[in-house]
Amino acid sequence: MFHYHTLWTLIAVSFSAVLSAPLNATPPLHEQIDALIEVQPGFDASAADPADDAMFLRRVYLDLGGCIPNATEVRAFLSDPSPEKRTQTIDALLASPQHATRMQYVLDELLMERRSGKHVAADEWRTFLRQSVLENKPWDALVRELLSADGSQPETRPAAKFLLDRELQRDEVTRDLGRIFLGRDLQCAQCHDHPTVDDYLQRHYFGLTAFITRSYLFKDPKTGVTSIGEKAKGDVKFTSVFTSETAGTAPRMLNLPPLADPPAEKELYKVKLEKNVRGVPVYSRREQLAIAMTDDANQAFRENIANRMWALMMGRGLVEPLDMMHAQNPATHPQVLELLADSLLQHDYDLRDLLRELALTRTYQRSSQAVENRTIESQSLEDRTGDVTAEDDHHYSVGRLKPLSPEQLAWSMMQATGVIDVELAETDSDATPIDDAVQKHIETFAKVFGAAGQSTQFDAAADQALFLRNGNLIHSWLTVKNGLVASLQKLDDPQLAEELYLRVFSRMPNEQESSRVADFLNSSSDRPRAIQQLTWASLVSTEFRFNH
Amino acid sequence: MRRNQGCNSVEHLLARRQFFAGTGAAALATGLSQTAQAAPPVPTDPLMQSDLLKKSGKRILQIFLQGGVSQLESWDPKPGTKFGGPFRAIPTSVPGMHISELLPHTAQRMHHLSIVRSINSKINDHRKGMLYMEKGRPTGDFPYLGSVASKYLAGSDAALPGYIHISTRGLNDSTASFLGAQHAELKLQGVQPPSNLELPKDLDEELDAQRESLRRQFDAQFSRRRSNAQLDNYDAAFQQAALLMARKKIFEGGASEKDLARYGTHDFARYCLLARTLLENGATCVKVTHHGYDSHAENFNFHLEQLGEFDKTFAMLMDDLHDRGMLDDTLVLVCSEFGRTPKINTKYGRDHWGTAWSTVLGGCGVQPGAIIGSTNAEGTEVADREVDSGHLFHTYLRAVGLDTFADHDLPGRSIPIGDPAAEEIGELLS
């Protein structure tokens, strides 16, 4: 497989060469993005400074590696004088096994909404996703596998999870094909053309249904294993509850032309469907689904994943909600969305390449803290709910706060408290599955902090706060042998503050922060206890809870 | 925009309470208390309203029959007609008012309640129908009824979160919208106490308070020149957690044998007993979801079973609210996302129907024993006094004293509390 990151590293290294290239040469994607973002009226007045090194490092570690950096990595980065260090870090992270783990979680959340195993075990699925990211399988290739695999052979079982674990329920699969791969929640169009969204038509819904309506779950009577069979016939009809008109449709991708079945051959089946025999037709509509979904003509397919990758990095989709893409809900920056989607097409749906370009933008690398004492001309003072305004948010002129996903939060807390070093002491190769104990902790976090599906919405809840305040797990991490609290106990005040801030906040404390830590410790009669309280408070603070 | 119509102002409600203060709680809920009195204008600034309302002690109990209860098997029976189904209508404690025989206990408490039989909400989708009932608007990003109640009725010194939802299904809904996270629903998983209510063994309250104060110091510094909505949301969760920890006794012990004997031993009975306790202990809006009304097949068996659970439990809860003198200050709603089709399908089921359905409300000064509107003989359309979920939303909130034609006052914008395209059902409010 061709490795784009080597190529891009070369380009980045010879940056000045690019600048001096002929004017008609296309600038790299990240520059094109920044140009479109920064051209907005009033942008300059409100644009935040570039994130400082520490802020950048934490952010990019979380987004691309799924976990905060450790103290050694922070120190090394802060003292590295190289002007290329940000690009180098992005490339190193994208090439690392941690990136595969990070994307495994992202893709599981997107595709299976963290379901546990029904027909395909969760660990087989995780391994499949992880392996797919490690080999940088293009998005279209991955989706083709998911939609065409029938699960009859051991090697295709993980890929068949998408359909198998939804029990091939017609309506559930139809809705999820629309939401997850096309960015359109067509649920309302099941019963009628959408009353308020002109773009969502009943034939879109049933056009997707028509691809899968012939497929069914087949349980092998001998092995008890469930796989997917398909009939050679079967069409969908639908009736509008509004107009009572009945219509039918061939398989189709939204407004793209419907796909007529080929003229019927004499023999309809490769393996004839019988009782206890899984049917395999000569012409498979489900195979057509995999092809039509990922076809270059299907603009919605690449706009959806472009929007989701943007949301992953920037904290909000260009279209929000992520599964409501339609004409009446346009992108905040339509040209950016088009640019990203085109780039995916040109680069064979290489998500790693897209993430790299997004990470290289000034837009991504902007501070989450608004500039001090700025004047905002376009708004009255009353219009400002906080120090960062809704307009800043809309313009991407200030870096957006992103709540850590449950997996990021669990990994990062284990990293900060030193639990991860204990648990993962012997894990060093790409192929090693995640340690059982770590996996269990992550699942606990997913249960408490998880929501279904990729979303940019943040809803903190009381049970989460109770878990952080009183839960045994967090408490045990504060008292773990050789952990953070234990090592802080051995340090004097100035070193203690530095170590705490480096390990928890991934940055150096400023003078005021150091002296506040010292004041607190000195005012306490029970120093070991006070260190524990200080550590707890930093771990549950907003600075830790958000990627900023 | 209309304002100040009707006479359900805060002052009026307060005056009425003072007027009846000496007459005993039982008399308050008998429906005799509809004094007509000229009302001074309602303050149009919702914050001013809110100060008065918070002192008024008004509460909301919301019972949501999830899936869409059949109006024909509950509040608007049509026995002997084409679509009427097998059940009879029975008389109630209100002369001339009949409801389904599936609700014999409730029938005896209808003098506390009123029926709206003429809802045409035009929505047949579960989620959209529910959102319309909760937000009072057919679409758009608005707070739920419970979040509005929390904002304007719950004082800052409230002993419990302002909006508590008892249900064991579904994810947390995003309910507060622009009102802020402290008014979002707190979801309780049935009668299970929230996990982790106890401090870790080696911490006492003083140490806990110290570490909380440290947490807030960290956060105060981080929030400087940053976007605050999400940060506030996070802090609100800690505040809710603190309220729950302080009131954890509420969840201890569970229901008494005596109460269970009256209410029933099923989950819904236990949820309603918890709701009673929460309302008595300072909750402002409690929502209980009773699941299982989506009867596309076997509609009649389903309703026999579901309403069998609902009926006695709900009747006992009404008795208790009344006996404890709470009904005068507690608005009681029994709602659903839509009704069910008059036409019976081939599986003896009824499908989704937003075209002509019913709901029930009472308490808190709502005119008791009334029937608002009607459907035609076969129940297929609204015949008289058509209303939608927007009208109901106005009605609910005006019953607790909020001027729903006033605006939510937000930084830089004003958003009407109720849908300006709808209005309250005035004849229900005295």
Side-chain angles (χ1 to χ4, degrees):
Chain A
M1 169 153 301
F2 188 74
H3 286 282
Y4 287 107
H5 57 266
T6 19
L7 173 65
W8 285 111
T9 313
L10 282 175
I11 290 177
V13 168
S14 53
F15 191 61
S16 53
V18 174
L19 284 184
S20 59
L23 282 174
N24 58 5
T26 316
L29 181 65
H30 62 270
E31 286 183 21
Q32 297 181 58
I33 294 169
D34 284 332
L36 288 171
I37 294 289
E38 290 166 14
V39 77
Q40 301 166 107
F43 179 87
D44 285 342
S46 62
D49 294 335
D52 64 27
D53 277 348
M55 189 190 279
F56 164 79
L57 189 72
R58 183 180 191 269
R59 186 183 294 173
V60 78
Y61 259 75
L62 280 164
D63 282 329
L64 300 182
C67 180
I68 59 169
N70 66 32
T72 316
E73 289 162 330
V74 179
R75 280 204 174 91
F77 189 78
L78 296 183
S79 61
D80 181 353
S82 161
E84 299 304 326
K85 65 182 178 178
R86 291 195 181 196
T87 309
Q88 286 162 359
T89 301
I90 290 168
D91 287 330
L93 279 168
L94 286 171
S96 71
Q98 292 101 289
H99 178 64
T101 307
R102 159 68 171 155
M103 290 308 286
Q104 167 206 309
Y105 294 130
V106 170
L107 293 174
D108 180 41
E109 184 189 4
L110 171 61
L111 296 167
M112 295 309 293
E113 308 191 326
R114 299 195 182 91
R115 283 174 175 84
S116 54
K118 201 179 269 176
H119 296 294
V120 176
D123 58 347
E124 274 180 64
W125 167 246
R126 284 195 292 261
T127 305
F128 165 76
L129 288 177
R130 193 174 147 76
Q131 197 55 42
S132 297
V133 181
L134 278 173
E135 65 195 53
N136 198 20
K137 189 182 288 170
W139 173 243
D140 61 337
L142 177 64
V143 174
R144 269 196 301 275
E145 276 184 52
L146 298 177
L147 300 182
S148 60
D150 61 23
S152 63
Q153 303 303 314
E155 58 271 23
T156 64
R157 281 201 74 74
K161 186 181 177 83
F162 183 84
L163 295 172
L164 282 176
D165 277 13
R166 286 176 172 83
E167 303 276 3
L168 249 173
Q169 295 274 346
R170 220 177 80 146
D171 290 329
E172 191 181 350
V173 172
T174 301
R175 185 176 179 209
D176 285 354
L177 289 172
R179 285 168 57 219
I180 294 170
F181 299 120
L182 299 169
R184 284 157 174 80
D185 185 351
L186 297 166
Q187 191 185 28
C188 290
Q190 185 181 346
C191 302
H192 43 73
D193 290 350
H194 198 291
T196 52
V197 178
D198 295 345
D199 292 355
Y200 288 6
L201 302 180
Q202 208 171 358
R203 64 171 181 272
H204 294 161
Y205 184 92
F206 284 97
L208 289 175
T209 306
F211 282 110
I212 53 154
T213 191
R214 295 174 178 180
S215 296
Y216 64 96
L217 285 194
F218 169 79
K219 187 170 175 181
D220 190 308
K222 283 186 215 130
T223 61
V225 173
T226 301
S227 58
I228 300 170
E230 191 172 349
K231 297 172 204 160
K233 285 184 175 168
D235 287 305
V236 293
K237 278 207 164 42
F238 53 90
T239 308
S240 167
V241 297
F242 286 171
T243 62
S244 296
E245 282 171 271
T246 297
T249 181
R252 65 189 298 164
M253 280 292 148
L254 306 177
N255 275 334
L256 293 175
L259 302 175
D261 289 353
E265 311 246 347
K266 217 170 182 185
E267 191 45 72
L268 290 175
Y269 284 97
K270 287 185 201 164
V271 180
K272 195 150 168 43
L273 167 95
E274 278 171 51
K275 191 170 186 269
N276 297 340
V277 178
R278 192 175 65 94
V280 181
V282 173
Y283 174 75
S284 162
R285 279 204 179 171
R286 211 175 65 262
E287 255 167 48
Q288 297 306 309
L289 170 66
I291 295 165
M293 181 65 84
T294 56
D295 191 274
D296 287 356
N298 193 5
Q299 174 88 4
F301 175 71
R302 56 182 175 272
E303 283 187 348
N304 167 67
I305 195 66
N307 191 48
R308 286 176 187 275
M309 291 298 110
W310 178 273
L312 190 70
M313 296 297 278
M314 308 298 181
R316 192 187 64 184
L318 293 159
V319 179
E320 279 279 339
L322 302 178
D323 58 5
M324 287 301 274
M325 299 182 104
H326 57 82
Q328 285 141 292
N329 184 33
T332 52
H333 301 72
Q335 289 166 298
V336 174
L337 184 61
E338 206 184 313
L339 191 63
L340 302 180
D342 287 352
S343 166
L344 277 171
L345 191 60
Q346 286 154 19
H347 294 100
D348 297 330
Y349 291 91
D350 182 342
L351 298 187
R352 193 183 286 175
D353 172 65
L354 184 65
L355 290 173
R356 181 178 190 277
E357 288 296 319
L358 292 174
L360 286 172
T361 58
R362 284 188 294 276
T363 306
Y364 176 78
Q365 296 191 20
R366 200 160 278 125
S367 172
S368 61
Q369 211 166 15
V371 284
E372 214 151 358
N373 303 324
R374 64 191 172 140
T375 48
I376 301 175
E377 285 160 15
S378 60
Q379 289 174 313
S380 65
L381 272 179
E382 291 78 28
D383 208 9
R384 303 180 53 184
T385 49
D387 285 326
V388 173
T389 66
E391 195 170 281
D392 295 336
D393 229 29
H394 187 89
H395 280 171
Y396 298 100
S397 57
V398 180
R400 193 178 159 88
L401 301 180
K402 294 173 285 191
L404 302 195
S405 71
E407 294 86 1
Q408 286 174 322
L409 188 61
W411 275 108
S412 299
M413 278 209 181
M414 288 189 277
Q415 172 86 281
T417 53
V419 172
I420 205 80
D421 300 334
V422 181
E423 303 276 15
L424 290 188
E426 284 147 35
T427 307
D428 54 2
S429 88
D430 294 6
T432 310
I434 295 160
D435 180 87
D436 283 348
V438 171
Q439 181 59 35
K440 218 176 113 226
H441 298 330
I442 290 166
E443 281 166 17
T444 303
F445 270 64
K447 222 173 273 165
V448 178
F449 296 96
Q454 192 193 349
S455 162
T456 53
Q457 205 171 298
F458 178 67
D459 279 309
D463 59 340
Q464 297 168 0
L466 288 168
F467 173 81
L468 295 173
R469 276 183 77 152
N470 302 335
N472 286 332
L473 188 58
I474 305 296
H475 203 59
S476 73
W477 289 353
L478 292 176
T479 49
V480 71
K481 211 177 152 192
N482 299 328
L484 172 62
V485 174
S487 47
L488 293 179
Q489 306 285 10
K490 296 175 197 145
L491 299 175
D492 296 336
D493 287 354
Q495 288 81 19
L496 188 150
E498 187 176 310
E499 185 72 6
L500 177 74
Y501 271 75
L502 276 173
R503 288 182 65 171
V504 176
F505 295 133
S506 314
R507 66 178 174 89
M508 297 292 275
N510 61 33
E511 269 176 40
Q512 201 190 11
E513 287 165 336
S514 294
S515 61
R516 239 186 279 154
V517 165
D519 290 348
F520 174 72
L521 294 177
N522 292 332
S523 70
S524 166
S525 55
D526 183 348
R527 187 178 168 94
R529 164 77 64 195
I531 290 174
Q532 203 173 321
Q533 288 175 305
L534 195 63
T535 307
W536 176 84
S538 63
L539 283 172
V540 303
S541 69
T542 44
E543 182 167 354
F544 194 81
R545 181 70 184 84
F546 289 89
N547 189 2
H548 49 84
Chain B
M1 186 187 295
R2 312 170 351 154
R3 289 185 195 272
N4 304 337
Q5 284 197 3
C7 53
N8 194 47
S9 71
V10 182
E11 285 84 343
H12 184 188
L13 290 169
L14 288 172
R16 264 186 48 219
R17 288 183 69 215
Q18 283 150 12
F19 177 76
F20 282 103
T23 63
L28 289 175
T30 57
L32 299 172
S33 53
Q34 312 305 325
T35 52
Q37 214 174 315
V42 175
T44 48
D45 177 350
L47 292 175
M48 281 174 64
Q49 280 195 59
S50 187
D51 286 344
L52 292 166
L53 286 175
K54 282 169 185 166
K55 288 181 200 138
S56 77
K58 303 289 180 200
R59 294 173 290 251
I60 297 179
L61 167 67
Q62 193 182 5
I63 299 192
F64 206 89
L65 306 183
Q66 205 272 335
V69 68
S70 167
Q71 68 284 2
L72 293 157
E73 275 68 56
S74 57
W75 316 115
D76 192 12
K78 305 272 184 189
T81 65
K82 189 172 165 193
F83 303 128
F87 300 117
R88 291 175 303 161
I90 55 171
T92 68
S93 57
V94 177
M97 178 195 281
H98 289 68
I99 62 173
S100 169
E101 66 171 327
L102 296 180
L103 299 165
H105 294 94
T106 304
Q108 291 312 306
R109 279 84 181 167
M110 289 308 289
H111 56 284
H112 296 311
L113 297 162
S114 285
I115 308 177
V116 179
R117 280 183 173 157
S118 50
I119 310 169
N120 180 5
S121 54
K122 305 182 184 74
I123 289 179
N124 294 317
D125 175 85
H126 285 292
R127 180 145 185 92
K128 283 178 174 280
M130 182 273 282
L131 292 175
Y132 192 10
M133 276 302 268
E134 290 287 5
K135 300 180 177 192
R137 262 100 157 170
T139 54
D141 179 28
F142 297 96
Y144 281 36
L145 180 73
S147 293
V148 177
S150 171
K151 164 90 178 170
Y152 296 108
L153 300 183
S156 54
D157 54 348
L160 282 169
Y163 179 22
I164 300 178
H165 180 192
I166 307 172
S167 165
T168 45
R169 297 197 207 166
L171 295 160
N172 288 331
D173 277 337
S174 190
T175 60
S177 183
F178 45 73
L179 293 183
Q182 68 271 36
H183 302 297
E185 98 180 353
L186 170 77
K187 182 115 162 239
L188 293 180
Q189 297 293 323
V191 292
Q192 281 300 101
S195 301
N196 301 308
L197 278 182
E198 300 283 346
L199 281 175
K201 277 190 203 73
D202 55 346
L203 277 191
D204 58 26
E205 283 183 20
E206 195 192 326
L207 291 169
D208 182 48
Q210 260 175 24
R211 62 179 192 151
E212 264 289 284
S213 147
L214 275 172
R215 177 185 72 78
R216 284 195 298 270
Q217 283 173 36
F218 277 121
D219 289 359
Q221 202 194 342
F222 181 71
S223 69
R224 283 185 61 241
R225 310 203 315 275
R226 282 201 166 87
S227 172
N228 282 333
Q230 291 176 310
L231 305 181
D232 291 348
N233 188 324
Y234 187 68
D235 189 57
F238 276 85
Q239 288 172 28
Q240 290 204 338
L243 288 178
L244 291 171
M245 284 167 68
R247 309 283 290 191
K248 58 176 181 273
K249 283 209 163 53
I250 286 179
F251 301 99
E252 287 165 9
S256 72
E257 288 303 316
K258 209 173 137 197
D259 278 335
L260 290 173
R262 292 173 59 229
Y263 276 63
T265 52
H266 44 79
D267 286 347
F268 179 63
R270 292 174 195 275
Y271 299 174
C272 284
L273 283 165
L274 177 59
R276 188 188 74 187
T277 309
L278 291 168
L279 287 167
E280 281 180 320
N281 282 279
T284 296
C285 178
V286 179
K287 174 177 172 181
V288 180
T289 297
H290 192 210
H291 289 275
Y293 289 88
D294 197 15
S295 53
H296 289 283
E298 296 291 340
N299 173 71
F300 305 105
N301 289 336
F302 258 99
H303 277 78
L304 190 65
E305 216 166 275
Q306 291 302 112
L307 289 174
E309 263 189 18
F310 165 82
D311 178 48
K312 175 132 187 263
T313 302
F314 176 66
M316 295 302 112
L317 184 54
M318 287 300 288
D319 284 355
D320 287 352
L321 293 178
H322 174 252
D323 293 348
R324 293 164 195 219
M326 294 167 70
L327 206 48
D328 194 48
D329 291 328
T330 309
L331 177 73
V332 178
L333 318 173
V334 181
C335 35
S336 213
E337 61 268 50
F338 42 57
R340 306 212 73 85
T341 45
K343 196 174 166 190
I344 301 160
N345 68 27
T346 51
K347 296 176 213 153
Y348 303 101
R350 296 188 193 270
D351 301 312
H352 304 175
W353 190 244
T355 311
W357 53 288
S358 308
T359 198
V360 154
L361 68 161
C364 213
V366 168
Q367 170 74 48
I371 299 175
I372 304 296
S374 61
T375 49
N376 64 11
E378 289 183 339
T380 55
E381 273 175 49
V382 171
D384 176 42
R385 186 63 172 113
E386 180 173 307
V387 297
D388 59 31
S389 307
H391 293 80
L392 293 168
F393 186 83
H394 276 281
T395 309
Y396 299 151
L397 286 171
R398 288 185 70 88
V400 294
L402 189 66
D403 176 7
T404 47
F405 285 92
D407 293 335
H408 294 293
D409 186 17
L410 306 169
R413 59 194 173 138
S414 293
I415 296 174
I417 294 174
D419 187 347
E423 60 190 16
E424 78 283 6
I425 304 170
E427 59 270 41
L428 274 178
L429 304 169
S430 46

